Amino acid sequence: KMKNFLEERDWGAVCSFYAETLLDPEAMHSGKFPVIEAGSDVSFWTSQKSLEPERRVQGDAGHAVKGTLNTHWRKERATFLAEIAYVGVNFAGLQRHPGQRTIVGCLEATVAPLVCTVNEKKSRTDQALGIPGLAVSGRTDAGVSAYGQVMSLHTWQQGVDATQLCAAINRAAPSEIRALRVVAVPRAFHANFAATWRRYIYLFPLNSVGGDTHDVDVERVNEQLSSIKGEALHFNALAYKEIKNLQECNTDADVCTLHEARAFLFNLPPPSAQQHQDADKEQTA
């Protein structure tokens, strides 16, 4: 029964809505999306003045060590913050999955060449993310879309700038992934460790049971969600070892607080003429 309850809904309308709004910042902030403040606040990092890249030099034994400018050679590391949006309907999630189409899998072909070279020691790579030096503020599952997903990337290559990275991201899958902005930031920035909050929005299509009545009591759902606002959620099982060790002196080291939880009705705007044309093409293909 639960499976039928979830599946017998107009999920196609939700997917079309995401496809039409998520890659358009103007639409996202014009009232077409149920939450006006969609996106991320990265002003702290983009306003920092210290953008001095790290200098690395080659020592006598060929190892990379810190040093001064009068050594054999140096490489400077530049760090970038990329805020992206993507329609996840046709993806098997954010991170790499062998044999499946993912967000990072698409980005690898266009972004990876800018953040590493075969002749340099590559950054330690998270195999699930694939691109050396890539970190994300949060990972999304299959079918999940995002607006304001924050990524951090760094490169030792000379001459790579934010404009090039932005263009590379936009070439990966033009109709499904878009860079909202890419900026140079201090090298201390790490998308995952710098994240202080995350917002999740669920669009659940309702079925009418007559008049203005639906098969889900939205007011009751809102009451239930409101009752858990301010709750402290513990994620110690998923924490890094350093955080787990803090438990002995700080019992709140792994706490995430649920600041807002609500449910409300929202009428999806009708698809644009372009959406109708695309749907007709799919039906006749």
Side-chain angles (χ1 to χ4, degrees):
K1 289 184 178 180
M2 178 59 69
K3 182 178 180 181
N4 292 337
F5 177 78
L6 294 174
E7 292 183 349
E8 294 175 355
R9 299 182 180 278
D10 190 5
W11 291 105
V14 174
C15 293
S16 296
F17 174 69
Y18 281 149
E20 189 165 337
T21 57
L22 282 179
L23 303 186
D24 183 355
E26 184 177 341
M28 287 294 294
H29 298 277
S30 66
K32 290 185 178 181
F33 200 74
V35 179
I36 299 298
E37 65 274 17
S40 301
D41 180 6
V42 294
S43 57
F44 172 82
W45 291 100
T46 57
S47 64
Q48 297 298 301
K49 302 298 182 182
S50 177
L51 296 176
E52 179 68 21
E54 179 190 22
R55 293 190 175 93
R56 298 171 72 245
V57 299
Q58 183 170 319
D60 295 337
H63 298 294
V65 296
K66 293 183 178 179
T68 58
L69 299 182
N70 60 356
T71 49
H72 300 296
W73 56 268
R74 75 178 187 190
K75 292 291 182 181
E76 296 181 345
R77 194 189 92 171
T79 303
F80 297 92
L81 178 154
E83 186 178 8
I84 70 172
Y86 50 83
V87 180
V89 176
N90 297 317
F91 290 97
L94 175 88
Q95 63 192 49
R96 300 170 74 192
H97 290 294
Q100 299 187 61
R101 187 169 183 259
T102 66
I103 301 297
V104 167
C106 285
L107 290 174
E108 274 189 280
T110 58
V111 175
L114 296 177
V115 298
C116 68
T117 63
V118 294
N119 294 324
E120 294 181 25
K121 181 179 179 181
K122 297 181 180 179
S123 305
R124 185 174 60 181
T125 304
D126 182 336
Q127 295 302 314
L129 295 179
I131 301 173
L134 172 66
V136 294
S137 58
R139 304 188 186 192
T140 52
D141 294 327
V144 178
S145 301
Y147 185 87
Q149 168 73 275
V150 176
M151 308 167 66
S152 55
L153 305 112
H154 59 246
T155 180
W156 297 101
Q157 292 194 51
Q158 303 297 293
V160 174
D161 58 25
T163 300
Q164 290 174 296
L165 279 172
C166 184
I169 292 171
N170 288 334
R171 287 197 306 271
S175 63
E176 298 168 289
I177 304 173
R178 179 165 301 173
L180 303 175
R181 60 176 161 177
V182 180
V183 294
V185 292
R187 67 180 305 276
F189 176 73
H190 187 286
N192 185 252
F193 298 144
T196 57
W197 57 267
R198 296 180 178 90
R199 179 188 292 119
Y200 298 90
I201 300 168
Y202 303 89
L203 297 188
F204 189 79
L206 304 180
N207 293 325
S208 175
V209 293
D212 295 329
T213 306
H214 301 92
D215 60 344
V216 174
D217 188 338
V218 179
E219 291 187 2
R220 185 175 180 182
V221 173
N222 186 56
E223 289 177 1
Q224 295 296 317
L225 291 176
S226 298
S227 67
I228 60 175
K229 286 172 61 174
E231 289 290 326
L233 310 175
H234 289 263
F235 292 96
N236 184 252
L238 304 177
Y240 285 88
K241 180 179 179 180
E242 292 80 1
I243 299 300
K244 289 182 178 181
N245 292 339
L246 288 176
Q247 290 298 299
E248 297 180 3
C249 56
N250 181 3
T251 56
D252 292 330
D254 67 328
V255 168
C256 176
T257 303
L258 188 63
H259 291 289
E260 185 68 37
R262 58 194 174 109
F264 56 91
L265 283 172
F266 177 77
N267 294 318
L268 295 180
S272 65
Q274 183 62 46
Q275 280 286 334
H276 282 299
Q277 292 175 10
D278 293 342
D280 291 339
K281 290 179 181 177
E282 291 177 0
Q283 291 176 2
T284 57

